[in-house]
């Protein structure tokens, strides 16, 4: 805002001056319809993250070793999302909260590409650059292959069952 010599302050221009004041709402304010979606994502995310944590407890990795548990979790999660997306977009008419709960929440919480990045950084800074780069490439390849292969297989199985 700019103050003039007269003491008047220039206010920022209204984003949409044609709307009545009662109809204006900040762009970030959730609507009533978003509440159930946010809750579904939150509950699903808690379940998925808990499952990932359980996997890390069952399959611990040495500090300087290849992060097999994170690699497996990401590959499995990508395969499941491939199956899931085919089923809910091509086979079933899913409830509007299924995708946010399971796809975004459970699988988003289960897969962990932030840990993947931290693992790469940890390996490289720990003097294991070759292992870090191998992990970088293998995870990318495995994730893409898993989602593609699972979607392709699911489509074939669905077509076979329908014939």
């Amino acid at each position: 805002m700019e103050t003039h010599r007269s003491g008047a302050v220039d206010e920022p221009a209204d984003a949409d001056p044609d709307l009545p004041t009662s109809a204006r709402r900040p762009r970030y304010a959730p609507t009533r319809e978003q509440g159930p979606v946010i809750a579904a994502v939150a509950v699903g995310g808690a379940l998925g993250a808990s499952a990932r944590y359980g996997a890390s407890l069952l399959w611990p990795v040495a500090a300087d070793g290849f992060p097999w548990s994170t690699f497996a979790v990401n590959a499995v999660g990508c395969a499941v999302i491939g199956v899931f997306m085919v089923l809910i977009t091509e086979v079933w008419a899913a409830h509007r909260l299924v995708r946010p709960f399971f796809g975004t929440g459970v699988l988003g919480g289960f897969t962990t590409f932030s840990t993947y990045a931290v693992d790469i950084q940890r390996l490289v800074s720990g003097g294991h650059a070759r292992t870090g780069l191998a992990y970088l490439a293998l995870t990318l390849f495995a994730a893409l292959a898993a989602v593609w292969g699972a979607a392709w297989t699911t489509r074939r199985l669905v077509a076979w069952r329908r014939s």
Side-chain angles (χ1 to χ4, degrees):
M1 290 191 265
E2 187 177 314
T3 306
H4 296 281
R5 282 186 215 153
S6 66
V9 176
D10 287 339
E11 294 292 326
D14 192 343
D16 197 347
D18 297 330
L19 283 177
T21 305
S22 62
R24 294 181 197 148
R25 180 171 28 105
R27 295 183 190 266
Y28 59 86
T31 64
R32 274 192 203 137
E33 297 84 32
Q34 291 173 319
V37 174
I38 293 168
V41 171
V43 170
L47 292 171
S50 296
R52 175 175 27 99
Y53 178 68
S56 72
L57 293 177
L58 290 172
W59 195 358
V61 175
D64 61 344
F66 191 90
W68 287 108
S69 60
T70 304
F71 177 81
V73 159
N74 285 336
V76 167
C78 286
V80 173
I81 197 75
V83 171
F84 175 68
M85 290 308 293
V86 168
L87 293 178
I88 69 163
T89 59
E90 299 174 21
V91 178
W92 304 317
H95 185 276
R96 73 180 191 94
L97 295 178
V98 170
R99 185 184 288 189
F101 170 75
F102 191 73
T104 305
V106 173
L107 293 174
F110 182 66
T111 57
T112 174
F113 287 90
S114 59
T115 301
Y116 161 66
V118 169
D119 286 342
I120 293 166
Q121 190 259 339
R122 177 185 48 80
L123 287 166
V124 171
S125 65
H128 304 282
R130 199 178 270 161
T131 304
L133 292 174
Y135 177 53
L136 177 112
L138 284 171
T139 299
L140 180 60
F141 176 77
L144 292 172
V147 74
W148 181 86
W152 183 87
T153 302
T154 304
R155 283 189 184 100
R156 297 304 166 265
L157 288 172
V158 167
W160 175 72
R161 293 230 8 174
R162 287 182 177 170
S163 58

